[in-house]
């Protein structure tokens, strides 16, 4: 689902503040309208130590062995924006807008800072890379969030998980011993001295699932159907 520039900016600023690093790169996949989105994002960052980099070179971030030089190159290409910031910068966030997904492992990379970099130029720093395409968060009531789609996906995920548990239990009944023990140990039903067997548990799960609708489904929908709360966690 598309996330607007304001939400992305909020995520970048919040996540950057929680990361112990002088520079953080945030990757965001945007297949179309990248130029317009970049300008909108820059407006959001006017009072922040964050810059936007539109990825156009196909050789950047294509090889894990070249990651260090790629990060250093991106920092150098953002020189004008960085030098225009009021010193000390403290922490810099670089948002890389790309047409494609981030295919490399999400790791931190060392980067040799150019001498012109304010305060810490000429040093080598560790630069974490965060993929916002999969980690941006926000209020579920945000206009860009399709709550019905999320409800249906949660419903389907729960149904698939239940079917896989049943298949595994039928093939190897002993494999579920630790799972059902955990359910019995931590569920609210322990107070009434009730203990599930895996077969009874699966029957209860299937019965409760059949009473629910994909539209409006939530992870805690099983609370009212007799399923222990640990299933929804």
């Amino acid at each position: 689902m598309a996330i607007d520039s304001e939400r992305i900016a909020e995520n970048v600023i919040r996540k950057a503040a929680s990361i112990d690093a002088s520079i953080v790169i945030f990757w965001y996949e945007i297949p179309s309208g990248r130029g317009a989105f970049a300008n909108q994002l820059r407006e959001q960052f006017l009072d922040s130590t964050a810059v936007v980099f539109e990825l156009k070179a196909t050789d950047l971030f294509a090889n894990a062995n070249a990651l260090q030089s790629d990060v250093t190159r991106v920092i150098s290409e953002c020189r004008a924006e960085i030098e225009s910031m009021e010193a000390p910068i403290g922490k810099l966030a670089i948002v890389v807008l790309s047409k494609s997904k981030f295919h490399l492992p999400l790791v931190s990379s060392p980067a040799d800072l150019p001498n012109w970099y304010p305060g810490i130029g000429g040093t080598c720093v560790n630069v974490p890379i965060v993929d916002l395409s999969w980690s941006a968060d926000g209020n579920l009531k945000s206009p860009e969030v399709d709550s019905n789609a999320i409800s249906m996906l949660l419903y389907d995920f729960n149904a698939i998980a239940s079917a896989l548990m049943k298949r595994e239990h039928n093939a190897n009944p002993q494999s579920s011993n630790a799972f059902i023990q955990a359910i019995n140990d931590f569920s609210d039903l322990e107070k009434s001295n009730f203990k599930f067997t895996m077969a009874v548990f699966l029957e209860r799960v299937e019965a409760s699932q059949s009473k629910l609708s994909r539209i409006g489904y939530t992870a805690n929908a099983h609370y009212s159907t007799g399923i222990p709360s640990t299933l929804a966690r």
Side-chain angles (χ1 to χ4, degrees):
M1 63 188 69
I3 305 177
D4 64 28
S5 59
E6 181 179 0
R7 205 79 62 209
I8 288 293
E10 290 174 355
N11 272 269
V12 167
I13 293 170
R14 182 175 66 255
K15 290 178 184 294
S18 66
I19 297 174
D20 184 18
S22 301
I23 302 173
V24 184
I25 287 181
F26 293 90
W27 184 280
Y28 186 61
E29 178 192 0
I30 179 164
S32 61
R34 188 173 39 161
F37 189 85
N39 291 333
Q40 295 170 8
L41 201 51
R42 290 186 181 102
E43 289 292 324
Q44 300 291 335
F45 287 145
L46 286 178
D47 298 321
S48 306
T49 55
V51 298
V52 180
F53 179 80
E54 296 179 60
L55 184 63
K56 298 177 181 178
T58 57
D59 60 321
L60 284 174
F61 300 100
N63 187 337
N65 294 326
L67 190 56
Q68 180 172 354
S69 61
D70 291 346
V71 171
T72 301
R73 179 175 163 186
V74 169
I75 294 171
S76 296
E77 293 195 23
C78 294
R79 177 174 182 173
E81 294 94 328
I82 295 172
E83 288 189 319
S84 68
M85 294 178 180
E86 184 177 348
I89 291 179
K91 181 174 296 187
L92 174 70
I94 302 176
V95 180
V96 175
L97 298 181
S98 172
K99 290 182 179 180
S100 60
K101 302 181 185 298
F102 188 80
H103 296 291
L104 302 179
L106 287 177
V107 295
S108 296
S109 172
D112 298 312
L113 297 183
N115 291 328
W116 56 260
Y117 193 93
I120 54 176
T123 65
C124 182
V125 298
N126 195 49
V127 180
I129 301 175
V130 178
D131 189 353
L132 287 175
S133 306
W134 298 100
S135 62
D137 49 54
N139 194 316
L140 285 177
K141 295 183 179 180
S142 302
E144 65 269 34
V145 174
D146 186 344
S147 58
N148 283 337
I150 293 174
S151 294
M152 290 188 290
L153 288 171
L154 284 172
Y155 181 96
D156 292 344
F157 174 82
N158 189 78
I160 292 170
S162 299
L164 289 175
M165 283 194 297
K166 184 174 183 179
R167 181 187 301 176
E168 173 62 24
H169 176 68
N170 290 338
N172 183 9
Q174 302 304 315
S175 65
S176 59
N177 287 350
F179 173 80
I180 201 65
Q181 183 64 47
I183 293 293
N184 285 324
D185 287 346
F186 296 103
S187 73
D188 295 336
L189 296 174
E190 185 180 17
K191 298 175 183 177
S192 60
N193 201 31
F194 179 87
K195 296 291 183 181
F196 273 114
T197 63
M198 192 63 184
V200 171
F201 177 79
L202 290 170
E203 287 177 4
R204 192 77 66 87
V205 169
E206 290 179 342
S208 67
Q209 183 85 12
S210 67
K211 298 175 183 177
L212 302 172
S213 170
R214 292 178 78 224
I215 301 296
Y217 177 83
T218 61
N220 65 353
H222 287 90
Y223 286 169
S224 60
T225 61
I227 297 300
S229 58
T230 47
L231 181 61
R233 291 177 185 172

